[in-house]
Amino acid sequence: MNRFLTVFLIISLGLFSHSFCFGGENMVQVKGSDTLINVVQKLAELYMEKAPGISIAVTGGGSGTGIAALINKNCAIANSSRQIKSSEVEQAVKKGVDAKRMVVAIDALSIIVNAQNPVDALTVEQIGKIYKGEIKNWSEVGGNNLAITLYGRQSNSGTYDFMKENVMFGEYSPNLKSMNGNAQISEALKQDASGIGYVGVGYAKEAVGVKALKVAVKSGGAYYDPFNIMDVKSGRYPITRPLNQYINGMPKGLVKDFLEFELSSEGQAIVETEGFFAIPEEYQTYNDQVLGRSGKIRESPMRPEDLEANLGAG
């Protein structure tokens, strides 16, 4: 009898674990990006109101943490503010995980400073030089004679990597203050007149005591506002990025249903209510293929370049 009971418990725990990790009948585990956590939590709350008895658990830890959890089969959906790395794809393949990418929102990564800072705009090159430690004083970019204090994310953050690869094109200054999340950066800058930081636009819009800078691609060019929807959706604001979710293979069941809710007009309205931007048609078409809703990815010049690298790796 005891032996039968032990076997029964082992089987039951195994089934529960499978359901918990991969989005079984009643529960989906979502892990990863700090930038995405608030908006996905809000989406999950509203989804659960419509589906009593269903649980969508959303936790942070950074994009790297989320993707690692997906690879190790500890979550069904990985939130990521960056694209999956080739090394992570290799790890996933070794563990039998087929990482598929979905784009759920658009972010205008915002460069923020204390509200009293007289500097209102920077170029991408200036931002990069500041974070590499090559520009050390605000007076070098039209501000006060004050040493610049750098605030950024920890190395497991997708935003940390995004800044290196798309803005800095180099390594961070060793003087970078590594913060746990967007809210912590905003709070630090509220208290520090010498600071500069970067946060998702949803966090920048709700922050008090800080301001988001306009950004130009290069000196002499036009500056664009991360809060202006036309500047962002046209791509003129230069630090615009897709926010992603990774899943294992073609989604099905509750995972697919939740993804479709996120991408619905209602879900995308929530994305904008939380301060981010709804995905344009090109990304929706890409998502449709991952969801099995259409058979062809748009090939027009409007197709976002970052989709080119994802046909094979999700």
Side-chain angles (χ1 to χ4, degrees), residues 18-33:
H18 181 81
S19 175
F20 183 86
C21 294
F22 289 94
E25 293 183 357
N26 299 314
M27 178 176 244
V28 170
Q29 180 76 38
V30 185
K31 289 180 179 284
S33 168

Side-chain angles (χ1 to χ4, degrees), residues 56-69:
I56 309 290
V58 184
T59 57
S63 301
T65 300
I67 291 174

Side-chain angles (χ1 to χ4, degrees), residues 43-220:
L43 287 161
E45 288 172 9
L46 295 179
Y47 179 83
M48 288 187 287
E49 286 179 7
K50 294 174 177 292
I54 297 298
S55 178
I56 309 290
V58 184
T59 57
S63 301
T65 300
I67 291 174
L70 183 76
I71 292 171
N72 291 313
K73 303 178 182 178
N74 290 324
C75 73
I77 300 175
N79 288 335
S80 181
S81 60
R82 62 165 171 81
Q83 293 185 57
I84 192 169
K85 299 176 182 177
S86 57
S87 59
E88 292 168 330
V89 172
E90 292 175 5
Q91 293 172 35
V93 170
K94 288 178 182 176
K95 297 207 172 187
V97 172
D98 179 18
K100 295 286 188 185
R101 176 194 183 200
M102 304 285 296
V103 179
V104 295
I106 300 297
D107 183 22
L109 184 63
S110 301
I111 307 301
I112 60 172
V113 298
N114 186 280
Q116 303 304 314
N117 191 321
V119 173
D120 293 319
L122 292 172
T123 66
V124 171
E125 182 180 22
Q126 287 173 324
I127 297 165
K129 286 185 175 180
I130 287 172
Y131 272 97
K132 287 186 287 188
E134 296 171 6
I135 294 177
K136 301 178 184 296
N137 193 294
W138 282 109
S139 63
E140 298 176 66
V141 291
N144 297 327
N145 182 18
L146 188 66
I148 300 174
T149 305
L150 304 173
Y151 292 91
R153 295 293 312 284
Q154 296 170 326
S155 60
N156 62 342
S157 158
T159 309
Y160 175 96
D161 288 333
F162 181 87
M163 282 288 291
K164 284 179 61 175
E165 295 167 3
N166 296 278
V167 177
M168 297 166 55
F169 305 104
E171 296 298 322
Y172 282 94
S173 162
N175 296 321
L176 177 74
K177 294 180 181 292
S178 300
M179 313 300 278
N180 289 328
N182 291 271
Q184 192 177 19
I185 291 175
S186 297
E187 190 60 30
L189 285 169
K190 180 181 175 183
Q191 309 295 329
D192 187 351
S194 69
I196 187 171
Y198 51 77
V199 296
V201 66
Y203 294 86
K205 287 179 178 177
E206 68 180 18
V208 176
V210 303
K211 64 180 180 182
L213 303 182
K214 292 183 178 180
V215 178
V217 173
K218 59 184 178 181
S219 179

